[in-house]
Amino acid sequence: MRYRFFNCLDYSLFANRCFSHYISEKDIHAVICEDIRSLARAVITDEEKARQDFLSQKAEISEQKSRGDRKKLNESRNRLAELNNLMQSVYEDKVSGKIPEDICLQFLTKYEMERKKLQAVVAEIEERLAAEKKDQEDVEEFIRRLKKYADVQDLTRELCLELIEYVTVGASVRGQPREIHIYYKFMHKPLINKNNLFGNENV
């Protein structure tokens, strides 16, 4: 039976940057398949909890902060509408002669400064909320694909194209567990609770 191994790229390209270490194809396949089965089991057991866990790890933003953003966005938009009305009212008062031109300009300058600040706040919050919406769409697609591989036993080209961005394997240090980080598509970073520890032998 022929065994295949993955060797350290840094060592292969720059021998002085790292020392030679490797892992067998069989072992890395087993770790990745178990990780996928574990994630799929979490989804099947409690999909809503898994969804919130994925969102939390992907977005790194709490629901409390999200609610605060939406509240501040509504308040800012309402204030912008008020400022537009105030500026219109001041201009009309100036035209009708109710207030002198210099006072009108003072009010307009003050309102315009506040309006520009609020417009910047609104743009920033809208950008964050748009990113949050994209995160939700990514997580939904990740869950949909994950369900297809709940009983995966071996890696296939199709599975890798659908789920895996890349995998990093830490060096094997005697007496210490070896870290394997799996970067999934739509997640953009290894899932925090899935930083696998693989033995302590030099495989």
Side-chain angles (χ1 to χ4, degrees):
M1 183 176 179
R2 187 178 179 183
Y3 291 94
R4 292 186 291 185
F5 296 83
F6 295 100
N7 201 2
C8 173
L9 181 62
D10 268 359
Y11 178 80
S12 300
L13 298 177
F14 314 100
N16 62 337
R17 182 182 295 181
C18 191
F19 60 90
S20 178
H21 56 273
Y22 52 86
I23 188 169
S24 73
E25 182 182 271
K26 177 183 176 182
D27 288 333
I28 191 65
H29 280 210
V31 169
I32 295 172
C33 286
E34 174 53 33
D35 199 61
I36 291 172
R37 288 195 297 269
S38 176
L39 289 169
R41 284 195 299 269
V43 169
I44 292 168
T45 300
D46 190 338
E47 184 169 328
E48 184 55 32
K49 182 179 184 302
R51 178 178 290 105
Q52 293 306 315
D53 287 344
F54 294 154
L55 281 170
S56 176
Q57 293 184 44
K58 179 177 173 61
E60 294 183 338
I61 180 172
S62 67
E63 178 61 23
Q64 183 177 359
K65 179 172 177 54
S66 181
R67 287 197 301 269
D69 272 348
R70 286 191 286 269
K71 180 181 179 182
K72 188 172 183 179
L73 180 61
N74 288 333
E75 292 173 347
S76 297
R77 284 173 172 170
N78 290 337
R79 180 56 180 166
L80 280 171
E82 290 177 0
L83 287 172
N84 287 335
N85 291 334
L86 286 169
M87 293 174 78
Q88 180 65 28
S89 177
V90 168
Y91 179 75
E92 290 174 355
D93 285 347
K94 183 261 182 185
V95 170
S96 65
K98 291 182 179 180
I99 60 173
E101 184 174 352
D102 59 335
I103 300 299
C104 171
L105 290 175
Q106 289 178 21
F107 277 120
L108 290 177
T109 300
K110 175 184 175 183
Y111 293 152
E112 180 61 20
M113 288 178 61
E114 184 180 357
R115 186 170 69 169
K116 286 182 177 179
K117 289 180 181 179
L118 284 173
Q119 286 173 335
V121 169
V122 166
E124 181 182 347
I125 295 175
E126 286 178 338
E127 184 177 351
R128 282 202 300 267
L129 293 178
E132 181 183 336
K133 182 179 179 181
K134 180 62 166 59
D135 285 345
Q136 292 171 343
E137 293 171 353
D138 285 350
V139 166
E140 290 303 322
E141 180 61 19
F142 179 61
I143 288 175
R144 186 189 71 79
R145 296 187 183 192
L146 198 60
K147 288 178 177 178
K148 294 169 57 177
Y149 301 101
D151 298 316
V152 63
Q153 297 301 316
D154 195 14
L155 294 185
T156 63
R157 183 174 185 275
E158 179 188 20
L159 181 153
C160 291
L161 288 174
E162 281 210 281
L163 283 180
I164 308 295
E165 283 286 356
Y166 60 92
V167 179
T168 62
V169 180
S172 178
V173 179
R174 187 175 300 278
Q176 297 181 15
R178 190 172 193 176
E179 291 188 355
I180 297 174
H181 299 267
I182 304 170
Y183 290 75
Y184 289 101
K185 289 185 176 179
F186 302 104
M187 300 306 294
H188 310 307
K189 60 181 180 178
L191 298 174
I192 293 173
N193 63 335
K194 295 299 169 188
N195 288 347
N196 296 283
L197 302 179
F198 185 77
N200 58 11
E201 64 275 19
N202 189 19
V203 295

